[in-house]
Each structure stands twice: as structure tokens, then as C-alpha cells.
Amino acid sequence: MAHGKTSYVCLPCRASYKQPYPGYHDHDWVCPRCAEPLIHVGSAFAPPKRRDTAAWRTLSVLLHAGVRFHKSCCGGPGYRPRTLSEVRERMAYARATGEPFAQALVRRDLPQQPGSRKALPGRTRPARFVPRSSTHPDSRQ
């Protein structure tokens, strides 16, 4: 039976590779394109498309903060921000509260900060009234 593989990435090349888990082999993996060392990201990693530069920048921030994509006992790796705006929100929260960046980046929801003008989670604006058209089958005359 073959041993399982895990994902490694090369950030300069924006490439992802599956390699055997660390420990089976006693060497570091290098990128076949640029010969830079590959970063072990975990087996639950789904790489963004190579042309999606914003997603690769987001991934770079996550990896440099120490966030990885390992499977947990009950599913995938948990929440990971997908956009730079989500990363910025969590980094600002970490700076304001003193929470470590890696811990703030994996928070699904951020607590409401005092003085913030953002809406509370779960609160939405009331629905706008849209009159029914006369051609709708449920409309009454």
C-alpha cells in the first residue's frame, strides 16, 4: 500500500505539489521550477488558480503567519480567510486586541469592537417592498 501524500507550495512560482509526508524521506523538497524550498501546507489544502494573484497573496500571508491546512478529526482544516479584505480585518483585530496573528486569522467571526460602525452579525436591513406585477399568477385584481 502506498504512503499518503500531502501538499507543498512554492510561493514565487504559485505552484502546488503533492509529496510524501515529512519523515518518510530525510530531505527537504525543492521546487522543480525555481529550486526554492517548498512550504509544507498540509493535506487539506486546495490551491488557488495560478492566475489568481490576490488568492496567492492571501495564502502567502497565512503561511508566513504559521497557518497550515491540516485535517482535523471532524472534517477539514476549519475556517481560513479567502480574500485580502478578510485578512486585513483579522490582522487589525489582532493588533487591537493583542491576539496572535495566527489565532486571529483562523477565527470565523470577529467579535464586535466598541466604536465600530459595522453591523452586528445576524442583523440585516429590512427587506425592500416590491409590488407584485399584474402578470404574476398569484396577483389578485
Side-chain angles (χ1 to χ4, degrees), residues 44-45 68-72 75-80:
F45 176 70
R68 298 295 187 260
F69 298 82
H70 297 287
K71 291 180 182 175
S72 66
Y79 175 78
R80 300 293 185 264

Side-chain angles (χ1 to χ4, degrees), residues 2 7 59 70 105 112 115 117 125 132-133:
S7 294
L59 177 64
H70 297 287
L105 285 169
Q112 183 68 23
R117 294 197 296 175
R125 293 189 307 185
R132 290 185 182 176
S133 68

Side-chain angles (χ1 to χ4, degrees), residues 11-137:
L11 293 174
C13 295
R14 293 191 299 227
S16 172
Y17 303 97
K18 292 278 190 176
Q19 300 293 342
Y21 276 94
Y24 291 137
H25 302 283
D26 291 338
H27 62 82
D28 292 329
W29 296 104
V30 294
C31 178
R33 291 177 162 195
C34 67
E36 289 290 320
L38 294 175
I39 300 170
H40 181 229
V41 292
S43 58
F45 176 70
K49 295 198 180 297
R50 186 170 285 141
R51 67 180 174 267
D52 190 355
T53 56
W56 280 95
R57 285 180 55 202
T58 302
L59 177 64
S60 175
V61 171
L62 291 172
L63 294 177
H64 285 101
V67 176
R68 298 295 187 260
F69 298 82
H70 297 287
K71 291 180 182 175
S72 66
C73 66
C74 300
Y79 175 78
R80 300 293 185 264
R82 291 185 164 270
T83 63
L84 287 171
S85 63
E86 290 176 343
V87 168
R88 281 188 211 108
E89 287 175 357
R90 282 153 180 77
M91 298 283 273
Y93 174 78
R95 283 188 200 102
T97 61
E99 185 174 8
F101 285 135
Q103 190 175 348
L105 285 169
V106 297
R107 279 183 168 272
R108 181 171 298 279
D109 297 316
L110 295 177
Q112 183 68 23
Q113 295 180 5
S116 174
R117 294 197 296 175
K118 286 189 174 184
L120 293 172
R123 283 195 156 174
T124 58
R125 293 189 307 185
R128 203 175 86 206
F129 175 73
V130 180
R132 290 185 182 176
S133 68
S134 59
T135 59
H136 193 274

